[in-house]
Amino acid sequence: MSLKILVFLGSVRDSTPPRPRRLGERVAKACVARLAAADIEAELIDPLALASEAGDVPAVFKPHFAYAEGRAPEPLARLAETIRGADGYVMVSPEYNHAMSPALANLLNHFGSSRFSYKPSAIVTYSAGQWGGARAAVNMRTFLAELGCLPVSAMIHLPRAQEVLDEAGDFLPEVDAPRWVGYFGRTLAQLQWWAEAARRQRAEQDPEALAPAFRRDPSQRNAP
């Protein structure tokens, strides 16, 4: 059975500047394409698309785990199960004040770490300028580790992403596509390796038996 990887796009912006609009969508689509080329089932999770279909999800923040069993809005419940069923994640983010996208943090914070735990993730950042969002990746490592989906060591940074990818996520004719394929491939190959290893281990040993989730109240985290 092929791996299932979710590619989270960390942007809800649909406006300019910067130009072009929805630059992150190009990067996320490129990640989906490279995963598919490796015979991995990849699904793009776009928070802007989710917002348009989630009319019954309250605008005020309320995470999936705060609802009683079976009472969460359907789009939220569906995404929770999609996250649970994945083998790994690619997190695509621009840089905001040297940090990860608030849109990505908001989306991920709707779900408890048990949905992500014992699976790997890969960090992908981008920008319209020269730095490629690399500084955002620093705090993304901490965030993703706390979420339970430890990031692999290699990362992908795309400076001036609009000069590398077209709207479909394909490499533009004027760039050295084979080098970019190799650059993406190094990180995504690490993700695939760890995702396959983690899936085998989860099948042999239930992580819940190893470290039960906290289900009652925050005091369960306290030292004796």
Side-chain angles (χ1 to χ4, degrees), residues 2-158:
S2 66
L3 291 173
K4 174 66 179 290
I5 303 294
L6 303 183
V7 179
F8 283 87
L9 171 55
S11 176
V12 292
R13 292 189 60 180
D14 192 22
S15 61
T16 58
R19 289 183 170 81
R21 55 180 285 279
R22 300 240 79 198
L23 182 58
E25 186 177 28
R26 302 180 180 207
V27 179
K29 286 180 177 179
C31 292
V32 169
R34 300 323 313 157
L35 289 165
D39 294 324
I40 296 171
E41 181 184 352
E43 180 178 348
L44 174 58
I45 307 297
D46 184 346
L48 184 62
L50 291 173
S52 67
E53 68 168 312
D56 55 346
V57 176
V60 177
F61 180 84
K62 184 174 181 179
H64 173 265
F65 53 79
Y67 288 92
E69 185 71 28
R71 299 296 298 274
E74 196 275 334
L76 203 60
R78 185 171 68 250
L79 181 53
E81 290 310 304
T82 300
I83 293 170
R84 183 192 292 278
D87 296 300
Y89 313 95
V90 174
M91 304 298 184
V92 180
S93 179
E95 181 179 323
Y96 282 74
N97 296 322
H98 298 189
M100 67 186 292
S101 160
L104 180 59
N106 178 68
L107 176 59
L108 298 178
N109 279 331
H110 275 80
F111 306 97
S113 61
S114 62
R115 303 274 165 172
F116 297 91
S117 290
Y118 301 95
K119 304 168 190 176
S121 62
I123 294 172
V124 180
T125 62
Y126 65 92
S127 70
Q130 64 179 326
W131 304 116
R135 291 168 295 194
V138 175
N139 77 344
M140 287 178 72
R141 284 198 175 280
T142 303
F143 184 96
L144 294 172
E146 289 298 323
L147 200 59
C149 51
L150 295 174
V152 299
S153 62
M155 296 185 288
I156 298 170
H157 310 301
L158 282 91

